[in-house]
């Protein structure tokens, strides 16, 4: 796994526009990039990570327009599909006569084998995920039915994908080579599931849902980890499976339900106790908010995990 970080601040003012164009063309995809005419208005922070064949790019930049022209689409580079994930602001994806306006939490697909346009009239704040078409292993018509459509967090499958892809982009620095390898297969299955959900071929959707069941279960658990009523029964019920089947799926992925929930809740509390400046929330209230029903149980679990009490952890973090 490799990560490249590039910022216009490291480039002389008069060279920034062309340097940004070349960075995107060489490291992401060949496109025509329309930028502000005034050099002082050109700025960008770009982080590009290759996780196996999946590339994750995070971009914050000035207003811009991106064109993948018909000539570029006919080029001999490997065909890929992109997923745009809106972080903040608004953008538009146009392909095949359709246009999708994206707002925070929305995703959209587009295919480099045909022309497309991306409009960032108020600036760019996006995560982009690049996947080789060969790895998607779906008919071209299925991909074509999904491009330039707004897929929101309210969707059963797209909503799960939004959460998963957001965490993948925001925590990529935590992945070593082994973790990156393990993420490749579920990431691809999830992308197939989102594409299949837009298809008029229901059997594809059924297969994709089966293949992504473990990923969907974990996403559901993460989304509800602070709920004190989270239980094996509630998770099994949400996915229309038995508790026994749930345990079997988690076991195949090396996960014990209770241990996983406790570790996730403790880690969330640890991060909040490390905030600078510290919050005024009491430790007991923090524990309740993250699903611990007993402050004393939380304190014992925290000390067992981190070697000190929650109060001592908070004080140590704020002294350092």
């Amino acid at each position: 796994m490799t990560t490249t970080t590039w910022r216009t601040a490291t480039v002389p003012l008069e060279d920034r526009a062309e340097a940004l164009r070349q960075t995107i063309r060489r490291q992401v995809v060949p496109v025509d990039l329309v930028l502000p005419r005034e050099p002082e208005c050109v700025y960008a922070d770009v982080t590009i990570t290759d996780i196996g064949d999946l590339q994750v790019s995070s971009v914050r930049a000035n207003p811009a327009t991106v064109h993948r022209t018909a000539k570029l689409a006919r080029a001999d580079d490997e065909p890929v599909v992109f997923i745009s994930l809106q972080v903040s602001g608004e953008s538009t994806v146009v392909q095949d006569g359709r246009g999708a306006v994206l707002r925070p939490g929305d995703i959209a697909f587009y295919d480099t084998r045909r022309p497309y346009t991306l409009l960032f009239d108020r600036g760019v704040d996006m995560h982009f995920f690049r996947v080789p078409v060969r790895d998607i292993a779906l008919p071209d018509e299925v991909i074509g039915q999904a491009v330039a459509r707004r897929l929101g967090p309210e969707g059963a499958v797209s909503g799960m994908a939004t959460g998963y892809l957001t965490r993948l982009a925001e925590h990529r620095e935590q992945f070593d080579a082994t973790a990156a390898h393990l993420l490749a297969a579920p990431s691809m299955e999830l992308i197939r599931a989102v594409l299949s959900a837009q298809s008029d071929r229901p059997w594809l959707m059924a297969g994709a849902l089966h293949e992504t069941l473990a990923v969907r279960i974990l996403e559901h658990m993460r989304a509800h980890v602070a709920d004190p009523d989270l239980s094996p029964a509630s998770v099994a019920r949400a996915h229309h499976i038995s508790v026994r089947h749930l345990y079997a799926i988690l076991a195949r992925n090396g996960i014990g339900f209770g241990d996983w929930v406790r570790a996730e809740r403790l880690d969330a509390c640890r991060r909040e106790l490390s905030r600078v400046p510290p919050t005024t929330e009491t430790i007991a209230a923090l524990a309740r908010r993250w699903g611990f029903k007993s402050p004393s149980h939380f304190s014992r679990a925290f000390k067992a995990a981190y070697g000190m009490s929650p109060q001592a952890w908070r004080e140590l973090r704020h002294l350092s």
Side-chain angles (χ1 to χ4, degrees):
M1 188 180 76
T2 59
T3 295
T4 302
T5 301
W6 186 89
R7 295 181 175 87
T8 48
T10 64
V11 180
L13 189 65
E14 64 277 12
D15 298 331
R16 290 179 181 176
E18 187 56 28
L20 177 56
R21 290 189 179 97
Q22 292 302 322
T23 296
I24 300 302
R25 287 172 184 165
R26 292 172 181 171
Q27 298 193 42
V28 183
V29 63
V31 290
D32 289 343
L33 184 57
V34 181
L35 298 170
R37 293 183 179 181
E38 303 80 3
E40 64 275 12
C41 293
V42 176
Y43 63 89
D45 288 345
V46 182
T47 302
I48 303 169
T49 303
D50 294 309
I51 305 175
D53 287 335
L54 172 67
Q55 184 186 83
V56 183
S57 302
S58 299
V59 181
R60 298 193 68 173
N62 50 256
T65 300
V66 177
H67 295 294
R68 175 80 169 174
T69 64
K71 180 179 179 181
L72 289 171
R74 292 193 299 270
D76 197 26
D77 48 311
E78 181 179 32
V80 297
V81 168
F82 277 91
I83 305 102
S84 289
L85 169 56
Q86 193 78 33
V87 177
S88 69
E90 185 177 293
S91 67
T92 303
V93 177
V94 180
Q95 188 168 44
D96 295 351
R98 291 193 297 270
V101 177
L102 307 186
R103 297 181 177 85
D106 292 340
I107 61 175
F109 290 87
Y110 48 99
D111 186 334
T112 63
R113 293 173 293 180
R114 299 185 303 284
Y116 62 77
T117 297
L118 311 179
L119 304 171
F120 305 105
D121 294 339
R122 301 177 186 175
V124 185
D125 190 7
M126 307 282 292
H127 299 309
F128 301 93
F129 304 84
R130 189 185 74 182
V131 186
V133 170
R134 58 176 164 76
D135 289 349
I136 293 176
L138 286 174
D140 290 347
E141 313 88 82
V142 172
I143 298 173
Q145 288 174 347
V147 300
R149 297 189 186 278
R150 185 196 76 86
L151 305 175
E154 71 280 358
V157 181
S158 59
M160 176 188 61
T162 294
Y164 179 91
L165 294 173
T166 298
R167 275 186 286 277
L168 187 64
E170 293 181 351
H171 300 292
R172 73 187 84 175
E173 72 282 353
Q174 300 176 10
F175 304 141
D176 57 17
T178 300
H181 174 73
L182 293 173
L183 284 167
S187 299
M188 192 59 58
E189 293 297 346
L190 184 57
I191 290 167
R192 287 193 194 103
V194 180
L195 287 166
S196 299
Q198 312 311 309
S199 168
D200 56 5
R201 305 182 186 190
W203 61 92
L204 287 175
M205 184 59 186
L209 288 176
H210 173 75
E211 294 295 334
T212 59
L213 182 56
V215 177
R216 290 187 289 116
I217 286 170
L218 284 174
E219 284 303 301
H220 177 90
M221 290 165 61
R222 288 190 181 96
H224 295 84
V225 72
D227 183 351
D229 295 323
L230 180 68
S231 68
S234 70
V235 176
R237 187 164 53 249
H239 293 86
H240 310 289
I241 59 176
S242 68
V243 172
R244 183 178 179 180
H245 190 189
L246 171 68
Y247 279 131
I249 292 169
L250 293 177
R252 285 199 296 270
N253 289 272
I255 295 170
F257 185 91
D259 291 341
W260 186 93
V261 171
R262 181 169 56 256
E264 289 288 313
R265 288 173 174 173
L266 286 171
D267 186 56
C269 292
R270 178 189 61 80
R271 291 196 306 270
E272 295 210 28
L273 289 169
S274 302
R275 285 184 179 178
V276 178
T279 66
T280 58
E281 186 177 28
T282 67
I283 289 175
L286 173 66
R288 284 194 299 272
R289 182 160 59 82
W290 280 101
F292 290 96
K293 296 182 179 180
S294 164
S296 60
H297 170 67
F298 166 67
S299 293
R300 289 193 300 271
F302 191 96
K303 188 171 184 178
Y306 303 114
M308 63 182 70
S309 69
Q311 183 62 40
W313 179 274
R314 172 183 266 175
E315 292 172 355
L316 179 64
R317 295 295 101 183
H318 298 142
L319 286 174
S320 59

